[in-house]
Amino acid sequence: MSTSRRDFLKISSLASASVLMPSFVQKLSAQAQGTHGKKLVIIQLSGGNDGLNTIVPFEDDRYYQARPTLGIAKEVVLKLNELQGMNPAMKALREVYDQGYMSILNSVGYPNPDRSHFRSMDIWHTGSSAKDHWNTGWLGRYLDHACKGDDPHKIMEIDGTLSLAMKGESMKGIAIQDPKKLRQAMKDPWFTHLMEGQAEGAVQSDLDYLYKTMTETYSSVDYIYEKSRIFQSKADYPQTQLGKKLKMVAELICSGIETSVFYVSFTGFDTHVRQANAHTRLLTQYSEAVAAFIKDLKSNEQWNHTAVMTFSEFGRRVDQNASGGTDHGKANNLFLMGGKLQGAGIFNEAPDLAKLDAGDVGYRIDFRQVYATLLDKWLETDPRKILQADIKQLNLI
């Protein structure tokens, strides 16, 4: 089969613009068996969320000394205990916390942290130590280990591109924004003809990988599309970027789709300048979208089978800067939500602002401990094979 440069460019464009698909979804069907039914939803706050202004240490005078204009006033903090409380922009999540559906982990990070967005996110995505540079993600390796052959377990990113976290050695997760548009693209007569031609003989060129990817997409698109049509949520979601993504996740979960992990990114948290209003807006959008998502799953009896983890690549510096913002820091808070938590509430002590790590909150919990716990207790797989180390787990779920 011959292929022109024009065909190559068209294939490449479609592959990158619509979806990246792994081989393990070649034979997806509505009757797929073997999954335990639990869902993990990961929300990535990209840019480095300001953890100290998210979960506020309102009884620590050092916090207000370091942030004379950015500090959240004690009288408006949504108090959770005698030392810490939520930013008032998070009022939509206060009920979730009060119901015992939320665990707040303080000072989560890793040894020898890196303040670079790209490097720190790579560390979180791969589950490596700061000294190692891995090219596979922790969820991708979960696929390699737990989803071999026609195993129906899979992972899906609600985006146009695939994060490193989702890429394994032999398998990759799905990146998808709109099942209907994906199906329309894959049903284009040009593409259908191309796939029919490809089936007639192998392509011995650099196109092999692209053809393989697109063929696997073609074999899966009907399943994904049909599942997306089964359940249409009537819940009241905010019409925001995150609200729309989480509504799509809820609809897919309620449809019975055979997906174990959903990955969602929410951008904008790199607040170096004029942070106050921007951070309030971001936390409001995050809280309202997550609260709507949880309410939707509860009303459809899916909440007890779902866990939600929220993280950011690092926190911000304790001291505010001269531009009314905060610069890149180190350890941060992490949220875990679900109907079956063991460690609900504030999981560990507040950051000690008297003992900083070069002006930053130092880590007390290694993020890989959270990963190990989720892999073992929720996804029911051996975390040692995924994280390539024996990591101490936490009493969270």
Side-chain angles (χ1 to χ4, degrees), residues 10-274:
K10 191 170 184 178
I11 297 166
S12 301
S13 175
L14 184 55
S16 61
S18 61
V19 65
L20 295 174
M21 303 290 284
S23 57
F24 69 89
V25 295
Q26 279 184 305
K27 297 182 180 178
L28 283 174
S29 70
Q31 290 76 38
Q33 300 296 318
T35 181
H36 44 70
K38 291 178 180 176
K39 311 297 183 184
L40 174 62
V41 180
I42 298 175
I43 303 175
Q44 172 183 303
L45 305 182
S46 300
N49 178 45
D50 183 2
L52 286 177
N53 272 21
T54 301
I55 302 300
V56 183
F58 63 86
E59 281 296 344
D60 194 330
D61 290 339
R62 289 176 288 262
Y63 165 74
Y64 293 103
Q65 291 166 7
R67 300 181 171 207
T69 62
L70 273 187
I72 307 300
K74 183 184 301 187
E75 58 268 21
V76 301
V77 172
L78 305 176
K79 296 178 176 59
L80 303 177
N81 62 15
E82 67 279 4
L83 297 174
Q84 291 184 283
M86 287 182 177
N87 187 302
M90 300 176 69
K91 62 182 180 180
L93 280 183
R94 177 59 188 269
E95 183 179 352
V96 174
Y97 179 90
D98 289 342
Q99 290 174 336
Y101 295 145
M102 184 175 186
S103 182
I104 298 170
L105 285 70
N106 289 307
S107 309
V108 180
Y110 54 89
N112 303 310
D114 196 303
R115 291 198 185 102
S116 161
H117 289 295
F118 305 104
R119 178 61 188 139
S120 190
M121 191 62 84
D122 278 355
I123 292 168
W124 277 84
H125 279 179
T126 61
S128 72
S129 67
K131 65 181 177 60
D132 294 319
H133 290 74
W134 294 352
N135 59 9
T136 60
W138 71 288
L139 294 170
R141 295 193 303 276
Y142 159 70
L143 288 178
D144 287 340
H145 172 66
C147 305
K148 295 178 180 178
D150 295 330
D151 196 312
H153 291 174
K154 54 191 177 293
I155 57 180
M156 182 182 297
E157 185 158 6
I158 311 302
D159 207 334
T161 57
L162 202 66
S163 299
L164 175 58
M166 310 282 279
K167 299 178 182 179
E169 191 68 39
S170 60
M171 303 182 187
K172 296 187 294 292
I174 307 165
I176 183 170
Q177 291 179 301
D178 187 324
K180 183 177 181 180
K181 290 182 179 179
L182 171 62
R183 186 174 184 269
Q184 289 173 342
M186 300 300 290
K187 296 300 182 181
D188 182 278
W190 176 89
F191 187 75
T192 303
H193 177 72
L194 181 68
M195 288 299 98
E196 291 172 351
Q198 169 62 9
E200 296 172 0
V203 178
Q204 303 298 325
S205 71
D206 291 339
L207 288 172
D208 284 342
Y209 175 79
L210 282 174
Y211 274 120
K212 180 175 182 291
T213 299
M214 301 307 290
T215 301
E216 291 161 356
T217 302
Y218 190 73
S219 68
S220 308
V221 65
D222 284 334
Y223 170 79
I224 298 169
Y225 173 69
E226 291 302 330
K227 283 295 184 181
S228 73
R229 299 176 63 201
I230 289 174
F231 180 85
Q232 302 299 312
S233 175
K234 294 180 173 59
D236 185 18
Y237 281 84
Q239 293 301 303
T240 58
Q241 173 199 91
L242 184 60
K244 293 174 182 178
K245 288 182 177 182
L246 290 181
K247 182 179 181 180
M248 178 177 169
V249 172
E251 289 178 340
L252 289 171
I253 289 175
C254 293
S255 78
I257 197 169
E258 294 290 339
T259 301
S260 296
V261 182
F262 295 89
Y263 202 97
V264 176
S265 294
F266 183 34
T267 62
F269 287 87
D270 196 16
T271 51
H272 290 280
V273 179
R274 296 187 295 276

